[in-house]
Structure formats: C-alpha cells, structure tokens
Amino acid sequence: MEKWAATIIANAISTYALDTICTAAGVLLVASGLLSGLDFRDAVIILALSYLLWAGGLSTSLAANWRLLESTGTSTSLLSKLAYDVAGHWTRRGGIRRTLSAAGYVVFELAKESPYYLGAFGLAFASDVISGEEALVFLAGANAGAAAYEFALGRSTRFLIGIAGKTPYASFEEEWEPAQYLTDYYSTVDADERNTIAFFAEAARRMPADEPALVFGVGPTLHHVFALASRASEIHLGDYLQCNLDEITRWIEGEEEAHDWQPFVRYTLRCEGGDNPSGTAVLEREQLTRAKSTTLLRVDMRNDRPLAGAQQCYATVLTAYCVDSATDSLDDWQACMRRVVGLVRPGGTLLVAALGRTRGYFVGGKAFPSPFLEAADMEKLLRDYFPDSALTVRTVSVPECTPHGFSSIILAEAHGRFPPPTLVQA
Ligand SMILES: C[S@@+](CC[C@H](N)C(=O)[O-])C[C@H]1O[C@@H](n2cnc3c(N)ncnc32)[C@H](O)[C@@H]1O
C-alpha cells in the first residue's frame, strides 16, 4: 500500500513537472522565432528529430525506472508499476517484467503527449492564431523539453537510489536460489552457452595436460567442467555459496533430483569433434568428470587469499560469469580479477567468460550486478599477466539472451602466465 501511495504521489508530481516543462519549451521555441519561416516539410523533419531526442532521454529514465522498481517496488509511472506488479504475478522472469514495465512507462508518457497534439493542432485548425508549421515547431519544442525532463528524471532517480544506500541488486548471500538459476539458464543449451562451451572446449586443447585445474565461481553448474575433464589430472570446484556446492554434490553423488547436465555433456563432446556422441560416450564423460572432481571448496574473490586455508596455484583456472557477475563496479572487478589471476601458476592457463556491456542479469526476476564490462577492459587487465601472443579476447553477440539482461558475452583464453615479480631487498 505504501509503495502504491509513493508511486501515486511521484506520478502526480512527475506529470505536473513534465507538463510545465514541455509547455514552456514548446512556447519558448515558437516565441523565440528560431525556427520561424520553416516550410511544412522541414517542420516535419524537425519534429522527427525531436522524437529521436526524446527517445534518448527516455532510455535514461527507463533504465532508472527499472532500478527503482527492482530496489524499492515503486515507480514514477503508475502504469509501469501496474505492469510490473501484474507481470510479477504470472511470471518470475525478470526480462518479461522489465519489458512490460517499460511498455507501461512508454505508453503512459505517450498518453501524456496527446494533450499537446490536441492543443497545438486544435488551435492551428480552429483559428489563425498559429499556423500548422508553428504547431509542429511547438511539438518539437515540447519533445525537446520532454527529452531534457526524462534525462534529468533518470539521472536524479539513480542518484537518489544511490543516496538511499539501497543497491538495486539482489544479494547473493540472501537471495540467490541455485534451483531457480538452473531453471532459468540451464534447461536447454542456449546461445550464450553454445558459444562459451565451444570456446572452452577448443581452448582446453592448449591448457597444461595432466595437472590440476580450478573452476572459480562454479555456481551450481557443471557445464564448463566437462571440457576440462579429459585434460586435467583433477579438478577443484570452488564457489562462494555452500548452497551451490550442495547442488554440485547432488550431481556428483548421482542423486535423482540433481540437475540433468546430459545435453551439455553431449554438446561438449560435439565441440570436441564427436559428430553424434553416443549415449555411452555421454555417460563416460559424466563418469570421468565425477572421478576428476576431487575437491569442493568455498572461495571469496574479495579476500586477498580467495581460497583461504586451501590457497594454492593451479596450472589452469577457469572462471565463467563469476567475477563480472558479482559486482557492478569496474574497479572491484579489476581488483577481484587480479586475485583470480593470482591463482594461475607461472606458465599456466586462464579461461574466462563474462557478460558484455550490461549493468545486470536476472535470476528469478531478481537483478544481479554486472559492471558494464567491455572486451578492452578484459584485454587490458590480462596483458599485465600474459604475453600478447598467447592471449585471445573475443566478444560474441547473443541477442537471444536479451531477456536475461545481456546481449553479448566476452570470452578470453590466456596461456603462459608471467612469473609474479620478485621483491628486491633494499
Ligand atoms: C552467475 S553465477 C555463475 C555460475 C557459473 N560459473 C555459471 O557459469 O553459471 C555467479 C557466481 O558468482 C558467485 N559469487 C558471488 N559472490 C562471490 C564472491 N565474493 N567470490 C566468489 N564468487 C562469488 C556466486 O556464488 C555464483 O555462483
């Protein structure tokens, strides 16, 4: 009830503010004479351009509105909140909620535009006070005002969310649900994982053979482990949350309710060159992976010793959608990535997958953070530890994943880690 009350008040204030700014901007543009003398065609072009401007402002306020909804359950748009709440009753998928709440927001903003059209064209038709061209210029001015308003609203909303100290993201400690994650992301082999597994399967050919490997931030998943199983002597699986490791234990122990990874095993074998892997080949790779997964351990990328008491270096470290998927800060990502790279022994291999250019992704409708990473960030950091000639960083577009909150991924393979610098005694 309080959230609805806050939304109604915010909605009323924002409608009033938008009306005032748009009217003032429209009238000012006409009165200034800046665009007087335009013919009808040019006036239409100016109006079209003003819509582009408006769309730009709107994208800022839409992003802020989503963060506001996710972190406080309120909105500056009644229709957006209604769409968000209704969608939340019939789906837990964040992508759908986001799309519907954005649609509600845009429809409401468009509805607020209609009085301007009626007013401007009504006046143009019914009297000689303004011409048709002036009506269009007025609307273009109103759109420019709306763009400025949406931009300012978006920026101030984000600022206020920050001040309130409420992060718009869900917490791993309190809100992460392994079963939900598996349902949302691993019911089928989707585009992001088709690319990631293919990349890792190929890169694994170049990792040091018959030495231990670590999967850092494995989550409740096994799909990246199958590609390492035939090369590593043993595999250690590390995650921050015990509930994720419990899910892995269920699979290792062959419990009935464990997640079914067979489609992912089959896909891995295909990437390794098996055209049509038999059921036996799939079972054998599962068995091999179970046998090689010798250690489960708790890890923390924010700890200077991420493996705590089990701290050691590995010939191969694989980390996928972990460091980038557990922070919204690029500085934090860098600091944590350096700790993970520190687990690779000199001469060893690092394999990384990360979300590209996104502020977050959704699990069960909850937003988890991402630092808007670019391939250049990854490349810059890895160059400090690996020779250029043994470094590959690739961005892959995965538009199919947009409902999850991202549409590109970054894949990296790096071999031959430089030895850490030795401290010289003064
Ligand atoms: C999106 S999941 C990725 C899981 C898996 N690698 C995958 O590809 O599906 C992000 C993982 O980061 C882990 N994580 C969160 N905070 C962490 C921290 N401080 N240190 C290490 N891992 C963390 C979570 O437990 C979770 O398993």
Side-chain angles (χ1 to χ4, degrees):
M1 207 60 219
E2 286 157 5
K3 291 179 179 173
W4 272 105
T7 300
I8 289 167
I9 294 169
N11 188 80
I13 296 173
S14 66
T15 304
Y16 181 73
L18 179 66
D19 278 352
T20 310
I21 292 169
C22 288
T23 310
V27 168
L28 272 176
L29 191 62
V30 175
S32 70
L34 267 175
L35 298 176
S36 62
L38 282 185
D39 63 18
F40 189 76
R41 194 188 69 113
D42 289 346
V44 169
I45 292 172
I46 294 286
L47 181 62
L49 290 176
S50 74
Y51 272 105
L52 289 181
L53 203 63
W54 184 60
L58 203 56
S59 69
T60 307
S61 63
L62 275 177
N65 183 56
W66 174 247
R67 292 179 79 158
L68 191 62
L69 280 167
E70 283 286 284
S71 58
T72 67
T74 65
S75 169
T76 51
S77 163
L78 264 178
L79 204 56
S80 179
K81 163 129 179 86
L82 187 66
Y84 177 83
D85 283 2
V86 171
H89 278 110
W90 60 267
T91 179
R92 300 183 69 182
R93 300 195 73 139
I96 297 177
R97 289 185 98 180
R98 185 173 189 161
T99 306
L100 290 179
S101 62
Y105 192 97
V106 174
V107 167
F108 204 59
E109 296 306 281
L110 284 173
K112 286 184 204 163
E113 283 255 311
S114 51
Y116 295 99
Y117 277 85
L118 287 175
F121 286 118
L123 205 58
F125 277 122
S127 73
D128 292 333
V129 178
I130 62 166
S131 66
E133 287 78 7
E134 280 172 328
L136 292 176
V137 170
F138 169 79
L139 289 172
N143 280 347
Y149 164 83
E150 298 290 355
F151 184 77
L153 178 69
R155 302 304 296 198
S156 51
T157 302
R158 289 183 69 149
F159 179 70
L160 289 173
I161 292 172
I163 285 188
K166 273 189 166 267
T167 93
Y169 299 114
S171 127
F172 276 98
E173 291 83 354
E174 283 155 31
E175 295 172 86
W176 178 259
E177 296 172 79
Q180 186 67 54
Y181 182 57
L182 293 174
T183 306
D184 284 5
Y185 285 82
Y186 299 112
S187 299
T188 53
V189 189
D190 294 337
D192 52 341
E193 285 305 338
R194 283 199 298 278
N195 284 286
T196 309
I197 293 171
F199 183 85
F200 285 159
E202 172 57 32
R205 298 178 203 273
R206 291 176 281 282
M207 69 188 251
D210 304 320
E211 286 191 72
L214 168 71
V215 181
F216 188 95
V218 67
T221 72
L222 272 305
H223 59 312
H224 300 139
V225 188
F226 304 120
L228 304 183
S230 52
R231 287 286 287 179
S233 59
E234 60 178 302
I235 305 170
H236 295 183
L237 305 175
D239 198 74
Y240 179 61
L241 299 175
Q242 187 56 45
C243 58
N244 284 338
L245 297 179
D246 291 344
E247 194 63 50
I248 301 243
T249 305
R250 258 174 233 130
W251 182 83
I252 290 180
E253 293 182 353
E255 289 182 22
E256 234 171 64
E257 63 274 26
H259 189 73
D260 176 12
W261 290 106
Q262 290 201 346
F264 293 83
V265 181
R266 190 166 294 112
Y267 182 72
T268 307
L269 294 177
R270 273 206 198 110
C271 293
E272 289 175 357
D275 270 351
N276 196 9
S278 65
T280 313
V282 171
L283 286 176
E284 280 173 2
R285 179 57 64 91
E286 283 195 303
Q287 273 320 108
L288 182 70
T289 307
R290 285 190 171 99
K292 293 235 173 137
S293 300
T294 55
T295 304
L296 300 190
L297 67 163
R298 298 286 293 277
V299 304
D300 186 353
M301 66 184 195
R302 296 209 169 75
N303 192 328
D304 279 337
R305 291 167 54 81
L307 310 187
Q311 189 76 6
Q312 60 169 302
C313 285
Y314 290 83
T316 299
V317 174
L318 181 154
T319 186
Y321 309 113
C322 171
V323 180
D324 65 293
S325 297
T327 181
D328 66 340
S329 144
L330 207 51
D331 287 346
D332 197 28
W333 175 81
Q334 282 172 354
C336 295
M337 264 310 277
R338 289 187 193 284
R339 293 189 189 109
V340 175
V341 180
L343 300 171
V344 180
R345 72 144 166 78
T349 287
L350 177 72
L351 305 178
V352 191
L355 303 180
R357 294 173 63 85
T358 180
R359 294 269 168 224
Y361 60 101
F362 301 99
V363 180
K366 293 173 195 152
F368 286 83
S370 191
F372 207 81
L373 197 67
E374 313 219 14
D377 301 314
M378 183 75 78
E379 206 167 320
K380 185 165 181 291
L381 185 136
L382 295 183
R383 277 201 173 141
D384 289 347
Y385 301 91
F386 297 91
D388 278 3
S389 57
L391 178 61
T392 304
V393 179
R394 185 177 297 164
T395 299
V396 182
S397 175
V398 285
E400 301 90 331
C401 298
T402 307
H404 285 314
F406 58 93
S407 51
S408 70
I409 54 175
I410 300 166
L411 303 169
E413 162 187 12
H415 306 275
R417 207 213 128 164
F418 301 135
T422 41
L423 288 178
V424 180
Q425 296 276 322

